[in-house]
Amino acid sequence: MKSEPDAFSIADLAARPNRTEPWDGVRNYQARNLMRDAMQPGDPVFFYHSNCAVPGIVGLAEVASPGYPDPTAFDPAARYFDPASDPQRPRWYLVEIRYVRHLRRLIPLHELKAYADGPLADFPLVRRGNRLSVMPVTPTQWELILGLETSTAPA
DNA sequence: GCCAACGTTGGC
DNA sequence: GCCAACGTTGGC
């Protein structure tokens, strides 16, 4: 899951009550479907910082709730209000995310891209122009990426 | 700050 | 249903 650290960083997540935050404001159907249909409480999550000096994976989180309708879509005062979504027929969903830990080092995007023609070939994050803010990670991809945490950082 | 890539909108 | 225009994302 991506977040701009200027808007909401992993430190912000760790500082929340119960270290938990509803992942509201997502207005993309692919990401919506993942949160509504695929993500389960306890699922592990990579926390990614985007649109910053060194974009990359900074920590681990976990899914802390099932998917449920995003209440900010119903609130006319909210930034992500969507009049097309109403409580009878919600259009947008979220899951809650709980902080687990920081990685021992940031795993930068440029390092992940080294695997873009190999084990991460199907991982959307390393593909050019990718804009999906919530994306699935396969167990194989997860193990590879997490293994980089304790490997020697390239120059 | 630039700009390529992408998703959405809306005219037709 | 097509597709050009537009707004947004996000790496660099």
Side-chain angles (χ1 to χ4, degrees), chain A residues 69-82:
Chain A
D70 181 346
T72 68
F74 309 140
D75 176 4
R79 178 179 175 191
Y80 296 106
F81 173 60
D82 182 355

Side-chain angles (χ1 to χ4, degrees), chain A residues 35-108:
Chain A
M35 293 197 289
R36 187 188 60 188
D37 306 330
M39 296 167 76
Q40 304 287 336
D43 283 351
V45 172
F46 283 131
F47 198 102
Y48 177 90
H49 278 175
S50 66
N51 205 12
C52 55
V54 184
I57 297 170
V58 291
L60 304 183
E62 65 183 5
V63 177
S65 80
Y68 63 87
D70 181 346
T72 68
F74 309 140
D75 176 4
R79 178 179 175 191
Y80 296 106
F81 173 60
D82 182 355
S85 185
D86 70 76
Q88 314 319 318
R89 285 190 62 118
R91 175 172 294 190
W92 304 114
Y93 283 71
L94 56 74
V95 294
E96 297 179 7
I97 293 300
R98 181 182 303 119
Y99 173 87
V100 173
R101 66 175 178 89
H102 279 67
L103 294 186
R104 291 164 61 175
R105 68 182 184 95
L106 180 148
I107 301 174

